């Protein structure tokens, strides 16, 4: 029983330390927004690649 209580106390202390850190010093993102150009890829059904696997007519890989 004592082991279970000590495990619970350790969990509560770790959770409290985590949230105290997140609330006082939140992590800063270093990601930057990048503009990704839209690419137009025409899907032409008449030109079928003979090497392309096609399980049924609707699958396009």
């Amino acid at each position: 029983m004592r082991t279970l209580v000590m495990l619970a106390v350790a969990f509560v202390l770790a959770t409290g330390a985590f949230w105290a850190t997140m609330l006082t010093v939140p992590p800063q993102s270093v990601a930057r927004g990048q503009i990704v150009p839209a690419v137009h890829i025409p899907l032409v059904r008449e030109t079928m690649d003979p090497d392309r696997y096609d399980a049924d007519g609707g699958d396009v890989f």
Side-chain angles (χ1 to χ4, degrees):
M1 184 69 176
R2 180 176 166 89
T3 305
L4 187 60
V5 170
M6 292 303 287
L7 182 63
V9 168
F11 180 75
V12 168
L13 287 175
T15 303
F18 172 77
W19 282 110
T21 303
M22 288 298 116
L23 292 175
T24 57
V25 187
Q28 300 282 327
S29 175
V30 294
R32 297 175 192 254
Q34 294 185 6
I35 298 173
V36 178
V39 178
H40 175 70
I41 301 173
L43 298 175
V44 180
R45 304 270 306 163
E46 288 77 33
T47 58
M48 296 298 288
D49 184 10
D51 296 328
R52 182 176 146 253
Y53 173 75
D54 194 5
D56 63 40
D59 288 346
V60 177
F61 296 107

